[in-house]
Amino acid sequence: MELSPLPLLLLLISNIVSQHTEEKPKARVSIKPAQHVFRGETVTLRCDVYSEGVTSWQYIWYKNSSTSVFSDLQELIFSSVTESDAGKYSCYGAERDISCISRLSDEVTLTVSVPRAVLSVSPQKWLTEGDSVTLICQVNGSSIGWTFSWFTETVSSDNSNQYKQLSDSSRGAGGHYTVSSADLKHTGVYVCSAERGKPAYNSTISNTQPLWVTGEFRLNTE
């Protein structure tokens, strides 16, 4: 994120703010879409100060409790957030003639991670024909806001992985893909992936989960 030059006035405010200990309005940091986001998303942090009679504020941001001024903008916009943008952010505001200086906001922690898909099986991987089984796909522990795709994985003759999307993968909505009556043809190795946002960005391909389906045992009474 490109930062604008800091006016000398704001540096002066930064130096004297600790001297103002009487009760003053407190700055507040809001963050959208969430405090935990994934690499590549757009994130906006905004500093607001609510005080009667003050309509024109200047803003000071700090990161990771540093005494160095991070920015003088009311909004910090990370158009494609990376792990280096993660940290603890706080801010305060000052009226332009320095007649009113707010208290420092509480710190807000921005966490940035790579979206990793994780696949699990319930209740078990070993099945008999007719059993029900559910493949559960999550991204960093959550299924909210993601669209899931489901695949079988095979290894080609050159040892590269090949993925074939399941034709009925719409049943995977909400992170669950359920086979209500397992058949021998369901034996195989499964993976999943997820995407979110516009333009869409993707999670990693999940870990593999094998399913084994055996024929139903029937006692021969003849």
Side-chain angles (χ1 to χ4, degrees), residues 99-182:
S99 61
C100 181
I101 299 177
S102 78
R103 289 180 292 152
L104 190 68
S105 72
D106 294 330
E107 286 185 326
V108 172
T109 301
L110 174 63
T111 302
V112 181
S113 60
V114 177
R116 301 186 185 281
V118 178
L119 183 61
S120 58
V121 174
S122 179
Q124 60 186 10
K125 304 174 185 179
W126 292 91
L127 307 168
T128 301
E129 282 184 298
D131 286 349
S132 175
V133 64
T134 298
L135 302 176
I136 304 166
C137 191
Q138 294 183 309
V139 178
N140 296 52
S142 174
S143 61
I144 298 174
W146 295 92
T147 299
F148 295 92
S149 297
W150 304 79
F151 307 85
T152 54
E153 180 187 79
T154 57
V155 179
S156 65
S157 57
D158 62 356
N159 289 323
S160 62
N161 294 330
Q162 303 291 322
Y163 302 102
K164 180 179 179 181
Q165 186 169 0
L166 304 182
S167 60
D168 56 353
S169 62
S170 61
R171 289 193 292 161
H176 291 73
Y177 178 87
T178 299
V179 177
S180 57
S181 182

Side-chain angles (χ1 to χ4, degrees), residues 50-67:
Y50 300 100
S51 179
E52 293 183 4
V54 181
T55 58
S56 181
W57 293 97
Q58 296 182 97
Y59 301 91
I60 291 286
W61 286 91
Y62 297 107
K63 181 180 179 182
N64 294 332
S65 301
S66 171
T67 57

Side-chain angles (χ1 to χ4, degrees), residues 1-30:
M1 184 182 68
E2 183 177 349
L3 302 181
S4 63
L6 287 171
L8 292 177
L9 177 60
L10 291 181
L11 294 177
L12 174 63
I13 294 171
S14 179
N15 290 331
I16 67 174
V17 68
S18 61
Q19 302 173 14
H20 293 255
T21 57
E22 64 269 26
E23 186 67 21
K24 292 184 178 298
K26 186 174 182 178
R28 182 177 66 87
V29 176
S30 58

Side-chain angles (χ1 to χ4, degrees), residues 68-81:
S68 299
V69 177
F70 182 74
S71 174
D72 65 335
L73 303 175
Q74 184 177 16
E75 290 189 339
L76 305 181
I77 301 175
F78 302 93
S79 58
S80 183
V81 72

